[in-house]
């Protein structure tokens, strides 16, 4: 893989799960932008939001994007749900949208073995009405930014679809 693959999509759609499955199957590196930020800040994303606010977190995302642009090649990168806002997204690699309906995403999180942890990590899902409004707002932006869109209802199929993109 010569170029980075940048996975975008709504929180809980399975970007990290898909990236880890792809990396394991095909022996490539994958990184997660939220993990990079948590490591740099030595705090969980929700604690960064709580202590410093969204504006600060978005600045952290931009710093992360800048670092990726200059230092990361040939990597599968799963991004936080709001990472699409970085100014240099298209310079980071091929942008792939993992897409699914809001209901599918919510059911995925709600029915996961560790659903309590998955939902706690995404506090916006505490208010489903607001979460759906955010989903609808972002969905059209994701579509516009994506070089490719993959309907993410099955991890195995999504991994195969990503493989087709890089061949």
């Amino acid at each position: 893989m010569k170029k980075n693959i940048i996975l975008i999509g709504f929180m809980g759609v399975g970007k990290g799960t898909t990236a880890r499955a792809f990396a394991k199957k095909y022996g490539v590196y994958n990184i997660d932008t939220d993990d990079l930020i948590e490591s740099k800040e030595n705090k969980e994303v929700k604690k960064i939001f709580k202590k410093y606010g969204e504006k600060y977190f978005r600045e952290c995302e931009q710093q992360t994007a800048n670092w990726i642009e200059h230092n990361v090649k040939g990597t599968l990168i799963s991004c936080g749900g709001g990472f699409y806002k970085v100014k240099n997204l298209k310079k980071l690699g091929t942008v792939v949208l993992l897409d699914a309906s809001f209901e599918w995403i919510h059911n995925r999180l709600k029915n996961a073995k560790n659903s309590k942890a998955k939902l706690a990590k995404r506090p916006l899902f505490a208010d489903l009405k607001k979460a759906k409004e955010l989903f609808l707002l972002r969905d059209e932006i994701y579509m516009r930014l994506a070089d490719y869109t993959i309907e993410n209802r099955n991890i195995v199929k999504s991994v195969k679809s990503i493989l087709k993109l890089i061949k």
Side-chain angles (χ1 to χ4, degrees):
M1 196 161 88
K2 292 185 170 113
K3 216 174 171 190
N4 292 327
I5 300 287
I6 312 300
L7 296 181
I8 65 169
F10 199 66
M11 63 182 132
V13 75
K15 299 175 300 281
T17 303
T18 302
R20 287 187 298 277
F22 186 91
K24 184 175 182 180
K25 184 161 179 77
Y26 297 108
V28 300
Y29 284 98
N30 78 290
I31 57 176
D32 182 286
T33 60
D34 283 350
D35 289 348
L36 290 173
I37 292 167
E38 286 181 346
S39 178
K40 183 178 176 286
E41 295 293 313
N42 197 27
K43 277 185 184 36
E44 294 175 348
V45 169
K46 66 182 179 182
K47 290 182 180 174
I48 297 169
F49 261 87
K50 190 175 181 175
K51 185 169 184 177
Y52 302 111
E54 182 176 358
K55 185 175 185 260
Y56 180 83
F57 182 75
R58 299 298 170 210
E59 290 168 4
C60 291
E61 285 184 320
Q62 187 60 61
Q63 290 170 2
T64 301
N66 295 344
W67 179 80
I68 290 169
E69 181 183 354
H70 298 289
N71 297 288
V72 180
K73 304 290 178 248
T75 301
L76 186 58
I77 302 166
S78 54
C79 301
F83 195 82
Y84 71 91
K85 294 178 180 182
V86 299
K87 293 176 179 83
N88 51 342
L89 182 70
K90 293 293 216 171
K91 291 180 182 178
L92 305 183
T94 302
V95 179
V96 177
L97 168 63
L98 287 188
D99 195 32
S101 70
F102 179 80
E103 291 72 20
W104 185 89
I105 294 168
H106 183 248
N107 284 331
R108 176 182 180 268
L109 295 173
K110 191 171 69 176
N111 297 321
K113 286 179 186 170
N114 57 343
S115 65
K116 210 172 191 178
K118 284 191 175 285
L119 287 167
K121 189 176 176 184
R122 297 160 180 92
L124 285 175
F125 271 100
D127 183 335
L128 284 181
K129 186 179 179 213
K130 282 186 180 176
K132 183 148 189 178
E133 287 171 6
L134 184 61
F135 173 86
L136 293 171
L137 176 76
R138 286 182 176 178
D139 197 45
E140 98 181 36
I141 298 168
Y142 291 146
M143 292 283 190
R144 201 170 51 244
L145 290 171
D147 297 312
Y148 300 97
T149 299
I150 295 172
E151 186 70 26
N152 192 42
R153 301 217 185 250
N154 177 295
I155 299 298
V156 174
K157 287 181 182 175
S158 294
V159 166
K160 286 179 182 175
S161 295
I162 294 169
L163 182 64
K164 286 179 189 174
L165 293 177
I166 62 172
K167 281 192 168 186

